[in-house]
Amino acid sequence: LRVLCVPLVAIVLFGCGGDDGAASEEDQALIDALAAEWEESGEFPEPVAVDCLATNFVAAIGGAEGAAEYGVDEDNVGQETFEENPLSAEDAVAVGGGMMECDGLRAEFMRQLVDTDDDAELQCIADAVDTESMDALFGTAFMDFEDPAATEIAEENEQTFEDSFDKAQADCVGGE
């Protein structure tokens, strides 16, 4: 399942998660840089709220200070820094959950997994799957795949997600 997460994560590799509260000046600069990078890349799915993703990502990793621990700042966003310094398990799961809170991302994630272009069916599935396991699995895509913690998170959540996904797909797609 982690392999299926990678195409969408490649779109959003520089991340998300967290709080809509007022950001510090440093955090806001990083948020703005992330959002600008995603907007400029044109690779991000249209219905997903890029500003929300950037805000949530910065919050989930502990703001600009947390990003600095990964070697990221507003000046080097988009330079594969997170690929070189994957997120810790704790930050990755927070990022996965925070990103999924943003409008449109759950449905776009489902679009990668389901053979339908019907937006209502995709949203139905996104609303019906187990969100905790989905968030955790999505978060592992921000980790080093060889990290035992990523494997543990995947093993702990994969069956729950698959069971809820199968049921959601049966309930939501074309009356199956």
Side-chain angles (χ1 to χ4, degrees):
L1 184 62
R2 274 196 283 163
V3 172
L4 295 174
C5 296
V6 172
L8 186 58
V9 170
I11 297 170
V12 291
L13 188 58
F14 300 101
C16 304
D19 178 1
D20 288 338
S24 71
E25 190 173 309
E26 295 82 13
D27 290 355
Q28 191 60 54
L30 183 57
I31 290 166
D32 292 345
L34 282 169
E37 173 65 25
W38 292 335
E39 288 290 337
E40 186 177 312
S41 74
E43 294 179 30
F44 209 86
E46 181 65 33
V48 179
V50 176
D51 289 338
C52 175
L53 293 172
T55 298
N56 288 357
F57 178 76
V58 171
I61 62 170
E65 187 175 313
E69 293 176 21
Y70 295 105
V72 175
D73 60 36
E74 67 181 282
D75 296 323
N76 67 3
V77 166
Q79 297 177 8
E80 300 181 14
T81 309
F82 286 115
E83 288 179 355
E84 297 164 8
N85 300 301
L87 298 182
S88 69
E90 182 179 341
D91 285 349
V93 170
V95 160
M99 289 176 71
M100 289 296 181
E101 291 176 7
C102 297
D103 289 343
L105 188 58
R106 285 191 196 281
E108 286 304 311
F109 183 79
M110 289 298 108
R111 191 179 307 278
Q112 301 294 316
L113 303 176
V114 180
D115 187 24
T116 184
D117 286 326
D118 184 291
D119 290 337
E121 290 177 348
L122 290 168
Q123 192 60 54
C124 177
I125 294 168
D127 291 342
V129 297
D130 181 84
T131 57
E132 186 176 324
S133 61
M134 180 179 179
D135 297 353
L137 288 170
F138 186 68
T140 63
F142 292 94
M143 298 173 68
D144 180 347
F145 287 139
E146 295 179 17
D147 182 342
T151 301
E152 183 178 330
I153 291 167
E155 288 173 355
E156 289 174 359
N157 291 282
E158 193 164 6
Q159 192 62 53
T160 302
F161 174 77
E162 286 180 6
D163 290 347
S164 69
F165 175 76
D166 290 344
K167 181 176 181 341
Q169 189 170 10
D171 291 347
C172 298
V173 177
E176 292 180 22

